[in-house]
Each structure stands twice: as structure tokens, then as C-alpha cells.
Amino acid sequence: ERRQVDSSKRGVWQVIRKVKSSGQVEVISGGRTLKGEEAANEFARFFEEKPLKLKKTPRPKKVWELFRRQVGIPAEWDLKEISQEELKKLIDRLKPKKSVGPDNGSYFLIKQFKFEVVPILLRVINGSILQGEFIPDWKIGRVVPLYKGKGSKSEVKSYRPVTLTSSVGRMIEMVVR
């Protein structure tokens, strides 16, 4: 890598980009080195166990009491449709992230084509609000491993799962909040 940096016209960044995007990932699990599909399956198995360890029994009465104390009980549902200007302001406040969920849309893409997508997004968001439905496909997420920043990169336990969800679904959540 040092020789590549020295001989490269663009320097270290060109080499780093190549290293980051290089082919297969190797991980070590149970003393075995895994590559490709085996490594992906090991990540899947490891991440499937995480929610089970964190799972707690729901206590809706306690949650309802906390909600009533904090918010009170509204006389009526106050969720209204949003205007085109409000949606444009919401899009302007988005961080231009390029990560994509299952819908293959990113905030970066939405910001780039703001004026083209606003009419469509407005109909989708207001339709969801009026019907009182959140489309089930927006609840689906893509789980990817993210290096924690400590430990060996070849150890599965050095990663944590991050769920990338639908950009449109997250925007509807922002509108509701």
C-alpha cells in the first residue's frame, strides 16, 4: 500500500478508496476464517441474536400512564395535512446522507431533485395522514454491519447492526412528530 501511495498521482486518498471498496470481507468466528457468503451468514446469525438479548416484556399500562402525564389526553386528533411549503422546508432541513434503505432512495437524492419530487411526496404523505395508514413496506429495513471502532475488524463481535429504513417512511415520521 505504501508503494501504491508513492506511485499514485492522487496520493493516499486514491489508495484508501481502493482499499475501502475492495472485494471480499474476511471475518474470524470461532477460530475459523470466513469469506463471502459464509461471512455474511455469520453476520446474520450474530445480529439475529442481538434483539433477543435486548427484548423486554411490554408494559402498555406504564407507557400509557407516562404518556398521559407528559402530554395529557387531547380532545381530538390534531394531525393535519402539510402544505407544499412545509414539505420544502422539511426537505431543506434533511442532512444530505447517501445511505439508502430498501426503497433505494436517499436524502441526498431527495434534496437534489426537490422540486421534481415535492408534488409526488406531498400526495403520498398527505394520503398516509388522511387514511391513517403507514404502508408496511416503509417498516422494512436493511440491516448492515457497522464497525464499532474498536477491536479487530476481522472479528464479528467488533460490529454492530444498523438498520437503514425507507427515506419516505422517515419523512412521514418527521411530519407526524
Side-chain angles (χ1 to χ4, degrees):
E1 289 173 347
R2 171 55 62 194
R3 275 185 254 121
Q4 287 177 339
V5 170
D6 293 340
S7 66
S8 171
K9 290 178 185 174
R10 293 191 198 137
V12 71
W13 294 112
Q14 183 178 16
V15 175
I16 289 174
R17 280 191 205 104
K18 283 182 182 177
V19 170
K20 275 186 170 181
S21 64
S22 65
Q24 287 196 354
V25 174
E26 276 188 21
V27 294
I28 299 170
S29 177
R32 295 181 26 227
T33 302
L34 306 173
K35 293 182 183 181
E37 192 173 335
E38 283 183 324
N41 289 334
E42 181 61 23
F43 273 121
R45 185 198 59 73
F46 180 72
F47 289 156
E48 283 173 358
E49 294 173 0
K50 288 269 185 191
L52 298 175
K53 292 177 185 174
L54 300 171
K55 192 173 185 179
K56 295 180 181 177
T57 306
R59 297 185 297 182
K61 287 182 182 176
K62 184 178 180 183
V63 172
W64 180 247
E65 284 302 317
L66 288 170
F67 179 75
R68 280 188 15 186
R69 269 191 259 142
Q70 291 290 324
V71 179
I73 299 176
E76 64 180 56
W77 186 252
D78 61 349
L79 192 59
K80 308 275 189 274
E81 293 181 55
I82 64 167
S83 69
Q84 200 167 21
E85 289 73 34
E86 290 172 319
L87 182 58
K88 287 178 183 176
K89 286 178 187 176
L90 177 93
I91 291 172
D92 289 337
R93 287 193 317 252
L94 295 175
K95 293 179 183 175
K97 297 180 180 180
K98 293 184 180 181
S99 58
V100 296
D103 61 357
N104 288 322
S106 67
Y107 286 162
F108 180 79
L109 191 66
I110 291 171
K111 285 180 82 75
Q112 289 294 313
F113 296 102
K114 174 174 125 179
F115 297 105
E116 290 83 359
V117 299
V118 162
I120 298 163
L121 280 175
L122 190 65
R123 286 191 4 215
V124 169
I125 291 171
N126 284 336
S128 180
I129 289 171
L130 289 174
Q131 294 173 8
E133 291 184 20
F134 192 76
I135 295 175
D137 287 348
W138 293 336
K139 297 177 188 177
I140 296 171
R142 182 184 328 171
V143 179
V144 295
L146 185 67
Y147 179 61
K148 291 179 184 178
K150 58 183 178 182
S152 171
K153 285 190 175 185
S154 62
E155 287 287 330
V156 176
K157 293 178 178 145
S158 298
Y159 292 83
R160 64 182 174 92
V162 174
T163 304
L164 303 173
T165 56
S166 165
S167 299
V168 177
R170 286 182 298 202
M171 288 181 69
I172 291 176
E173 288 175 9
M174 288 178 208
V175 168
V176 169
R177 274 191 244 116

